[in-house]
């Protein structure tokens, strides 16, 4: 094969692939009726295209966008949930970019292992998570107060953030673990507003949401034993 022909073939195939992804995006947005597609990529599975929507949803379609698959894609050879694995990649963050100064800091033991959570003080699963964390050792938890369940959540978040005496971490633990209502307190609580904006930018739609130091996102409540396993896994 000549170098010219090889270059022509490579360029042509690259152009074809790009055109295919562009056509899939056009077809999907025509079906949806809005510019809702964030990205399109061809997969190695049955000629399918991965389509990531701007709301964070992941679906699959064929080159003609004739059929759309909304659900998990399972690799039967490895038993891997391809969709979940990809969603974990898409939802991961750069942990170092989190404004930790806007979070309530709780240190257990040496605190060498680090996680960040987004939590609403009136979230029942957040309270269960707090009870699990209370049993753990050697962990630092940065909790971003994320009041999305109503006005009372905002009030409690403000009182916790502005807590006097033993401070924010104690006020958070007293309420979440022991049910002791935080005392009324006033201060500059603009960090809470920024937390809500940050959470929305990260597509956090439910609490608790946990981020490991390697950027992995864990959506929802997780028992201490499972969280310990996740923390002890080697970094990516």
């Amino acid at each position: 094969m000549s170098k010219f022909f090889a270059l022509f073939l490579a360029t042509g195939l690259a152009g074809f692939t790009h055109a295919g992804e562009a056509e899939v995006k056009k077809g999907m947005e025509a079906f949806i009726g809005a510019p809702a597609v964030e990205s399109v990529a061809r997969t190695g599975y049955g000629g399918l295209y991965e389509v990531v929507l701007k709301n964070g949803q992941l679906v699959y379609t064929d080159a003609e966008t004739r059929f759309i698959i909304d659900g998990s894609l399972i690799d039967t050879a490895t038993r891997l949930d391809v969709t979940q694995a990809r969603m974990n990649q898409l939802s991961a963050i750069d942990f170092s970019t989190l404004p930790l100064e806007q979070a309530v800091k709780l240190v257990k033991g040496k605190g060498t292992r680090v996680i960040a959570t987004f939590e609403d003080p009136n979230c029942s699963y957040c309270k269960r998570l707090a009870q699990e964390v209370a049993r753990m050792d050697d962990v630092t938890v940065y909790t971003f107060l994320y009041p999305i369940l109503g006005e009372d959540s905002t009030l409690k978040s403000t009182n916790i953030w502005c807590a006097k005496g033993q401070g924010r971490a104690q006020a958070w633990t007293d309420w979440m673990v022991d049910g002791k209502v935080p005392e009324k307190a006033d201060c500059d609580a603009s960090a809470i507003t920024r937390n809500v904006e940050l959470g929305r930018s990260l597509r956090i739609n439910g609490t608790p949401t946990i981020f490991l130091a390697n950027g992995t996102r864990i959506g929802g409540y997780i028992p201490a034993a499972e969280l310990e396993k996740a923390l002890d896994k080697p970094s990516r």
Side-chain angles (χ1 to χ4, degrees):
M1 181 186 295
S2 70
K3 291 183 179 179
F4 175 79
F5 183 73
L7 178 61
F8 173 80
L9 181 61
T11 305
L13 287 175
F16 176 80
T17 301
H18 180 72
E21 293 172 354
E23 287 302 314
V24 167
K25 180 178 181 180
K26 181 178 179 181
M28 283 294 297
E29 292 188 336
F31 172 76
I32 296 169
V37 175
E38 182 171 294
S39 67
V40 175
R42 186 165 184 172
T43 74
Y45 297 87
L48 293 175
Y49 285 80
E50 169 197 284
V51 180
V52 180
L53 304 180
K54 291 180 179 178
N55 65 2
Q57 186 179 3
L58 190 158
V59 298
Y60 303 95
T61 188
D62 58 295
E64 290 76 34
T65 58
R66 178 70 178 82
F67 298 96
I68 297 172
I69 301 172
D70 182 7
S72 292
L73 185 65
I74 308 295
D75 185 332
T76 57
T78 62
R79 297 184 178 273
L80 173 68
D81 186 331
V82 175
T83 305
Q84 186 58 58
R86 182 67 174 129
M87 285 300 296
N88 289 344
Q89 291 178 339
L90 291 170
S91 63
I93 66 165
D94 180 350
F95 193 93
S96 67
T97 64
L98 290 175
L100 300 180
E101 71 279 1
Q102 294 174 200
V104 175
K105 182 180 180 180
L106 174 65
V107 180
K108 302 280 292 179
K110 293 182 179 179
T112 59
R113 302 178 301 175
V114 180
I115 63 173
T117 68
F118 283 72
E119 303 186 55
D120 185 301
N122 285 327
C123 159
S124 59
Y125 281 103
C126 296
K127 292 178 181 179
R128 289 180 63 183
L129 177 64
Q131 291 165 2
E132 295 293 310
V133 169
R135 296 163 44 199
M136 297 175 65
D137 193 16
D138 188 21
V139 63
T140 297
V141 183
Y142 289 95
T143 300
F144 289 85
L145 298 170
Y146 195 55
I148 58 175
L149 296 179
E151 292 183 10
D152 185 66
S153 293
T154 301
L155 176 61
K156 283 190 173 73
S157 294
T158 299
N159 291 338
I160 290 168
W161 183 252
C162 298
K164 307 279 192 302
Q166 297 186 53
R168 298 164 180 166
Q170 189 62 53
W172 172 258
T173 302
D174 285 347
W175 166 242
M176 300 300 281
V177 177
D178 300 321
K180 181 180 177 181
V181 179
E183 296 182 2
K184 182 175 176 56
D186 294 312
C187 71
D188 178 4
S190 58
I192 297 172
T193 300
R194 295 196 297 274
N195 288 350
V196 173
E197 294 171 353
L198 174 63
R200 287 172 179 163
S201 72
L202 295 174
R203 294 174 176 163
I204 296 175
N205 300 315
T207 55
T209 293
I210 305 168
F211 291 102
L212 305 183
N214 65 6
T216 299
R217 178 189 308 230
I218 301 173
Y221 163 79
I222 182 172
E226 291 185 28
L227 184 54
E228 292 276 6
K229 289 180 183 178
L231 285 169
D232 291 337
K233 282 183 179 178
S235 298
R236 294 180 300 167

